[in-house]
Amino acid sequence: MEINGKTRTCGLIGNPVEHTLSPMIHNTLAKRFGHNLVYVPFPVESGRITDAVKGAEALRLLGLNVTVPYKSEVIPCLREVDSLAAAIGAVNTLAAVPGGFKGYNTDMEGLYRAMTAEHIQIADEEIILLGAGGASRAVAYLCAVKGAKRVYLLNRTVEKAQKVAEEVNRSVERQVVLPMALSDFDSLPERKFLAIQGTSVGLSPHAEDVVIADEKFYARVHTGFDLIYSPWETRFMKLVKESGGRAYNGLKMLLYQGIIAYELWNEVKVSEEDADAVYEKLKAHFH
Ligand code: ATR
């Protein structure tokens, strides 16, 4: 594709943005579709998110992704917010609408699509979720909305798990999220669970860290899904596998959050063949 007078621009706003894989996702898709579009990183300094969004509006950017630390801070700058993103309180994708941008949360839809692609079910499942930070809060909400039977929310600080559980339960009007202390995993019902790792513990370069190291915990896990994708295999994933479970990293979540954003911006449907091609490219980055 040649950049010319009709090229549309998309990008990522956040701080830092140097290590992002999103340009690889979007520029690969643009090439496969033959769209005249480029995707570039835009580092935004602290305190300048409103200016950045106003600038993007004035420059008629087609769309933006939003990353740390602006996923919540960006919300007051938007013309509209999608209902899932509003309930979660975090936006990672902006799409141009008349008079400004509409905010979406494709991280959570991306996680859902990644799990579906791996045949991991949420509806009617009993799920263990580790952590009660921003990411885990969003996952708890996703599980509740997608019909999980029960979410055991395990956190080091139990008060934080209680707060998230209250918020999510109130929002979906059923008692689906049950807060617990990490150390109380022994009191979980005697059965195996899907466990989602939603903290940043174990992220490179601290690849040896893990929220729970006790192998008794992993005997309760049939499937482990870590939101982390760097390192390729976290210690959490290793421990799940060592006790006979299946384990997945967060790279497909990253892939699908990007694909859903691309679909919103360009009003297209990305085929599984195109998704696979982008995934292989992302994967090559880690091997
Ligand atoms: P976010 O999800 O908002 O990005 P995060 O910093 O990635 O936040 O993760 C915060 C979560 O990781 C919290 O659940 C935190 O537990 P506390 O609420 O008890 O602080 C959890 N966490 C961070 N370090 C941890 C550790 N060493 N052991 C256990 N949990 C930890």
Side-chain angles (χ1 to χ4, degrees):
M1 184 207 63
E2 196 185 324
I3 294 175
N4 58 27
K6 291 184 175 161
T7 302
R8 299 300 306 270
T9 305
C10 292
L12 172 70
I13 53 177
N15 192 2
V17 292
E18 285 80 6
H19 301 291
T20 177
L21 292 172
S22 291
M24 190 187 278
I25 298 175
H26 294 284
N27 292 320
T28 303
L29 288 171
K31 198 167 167 192
R32 289 183 75 91
F33 276 97
H35 288 154
N36 190 347
L37 179 160
V38 292
Y39 184 103
V40 288
F42 295 115
V44 174
E45 277 171 37
S46 175
R48 312 255 356 229
I49 187 67
T50 308
D51 292 344
V53 173
K54 280 207 160 67
E57 283 172 21
L59 295 171
R60 302 270 313 272
L61 299 193
L62 182 60
L64 287 169
N65 285 132
V66 184
T67 190
V68 175
Y70 300 121
K71 287 185 186 189
S72 299
E73 211 180 310
V74 76
I75 292 177
C77 313
L78 305 176
R79 187 90 184 172
E80 284 177 60
V81 183
D82 165 75
S83 59
L84 177 71
I88 294 169
V91 156
N92 80 311
T93 299
L94 312 187
V97 290
F101 286 106
K102 178 169 179 179
Y104 297 86
N105 190 306
T106 73
D107 284 332
M108 284 309 108
E109 286 296 346
L111 172 61
Y112 186 65
R113 253 164 78 175
M115 292 176 79
T116 305
E118 305 289 13
H119 309 288
I120 301 170
Q121 194 178 312
I122 291 181
D124 303 320
E125 287 294 309
E126 296 202 24
I127 300 166
I128 295 174
L129 174 56
L130 299 181
S136 291
R137 187 183 173 283
V139 175
Y141 189 81
L142 178 80
C143 291
V145 166
K146 299 294 185 186
K149 193 160 143 194
R150 170 87 68 228
V151 178
Y152 297 97
L153 184 65
L154 272 59
N155 198 44
R156 181 178 58 181
T157 313
V158 72
E159 292 77 16
K160 239 161 111 184
Q162 281 163 347
K163 189 160 172 279
V164 170
E166 267 168 37
E167 277 172 25
V168 176
N169 291 340
R170 194 181 322 121
S171 172
V172 299
E173 296 176 344
R174 65 189 177 104
Q175 294 298 310
V176 52
V177 183
L178 220 91
M180 287 172 66
L182 276 180
S183 49
D184 285 346
F185 71 82
D186 265 345
S187 63
L188 285 166
E190 280 290 337
R191 49 159 301 180
K192 291 205 176 207
F193 298 88
L194 161 65
I196 302 173
Q197 202 299 106
T199 78
S200 52
V201 179
L203 188 64
S204 284
H206 305 288
E208 283 313 306
D209 292 354
V210 66
V211 166
I212 299 182
D214 193 334
E215 59 192 39
K216 287 207 289 296
F217 171 75
Y218 294 90
R220 300 287 188 87
V221 177
H222 62 71
T223 304
F225 198 108
D226 202 325
L227 303 195
I228 293 173
Y229 52 81
S230 176
W232 181 256
E233 189 175 73
T234 60
R235 176 126 180 261
F236 169 80
M237 291 169 62
K238 285 196 182 100
L239 289 164
V240 169
K241 284 183 179 171
E242 278 166 22
S243 72
R246 295 182 302 160
Y248 301 88
N249 69 22
L251 195 67
K252 283 207 173 158
M253 174 183 173
L254 177 81
L255 168 75
Y256 283 106
Q257 66 72 32
I259 284 177
I260 298 165
Y262 193 91
E263 290 176 339
L264 282 168
W265 296 333
N266 295 289
E267 295 176 338
V268 292
K269 175 88 184 106
V270 174
S271 67
E272 280 315 303
E273 193 188 340
D274 284 335
D276 288 346
V278 178
Y279 184 68
E280 287 308 313
K281 230 170 146 168
L282 289 171
K283 209 169 139 184
H285 183 82
F286 293 91
H287 290 91

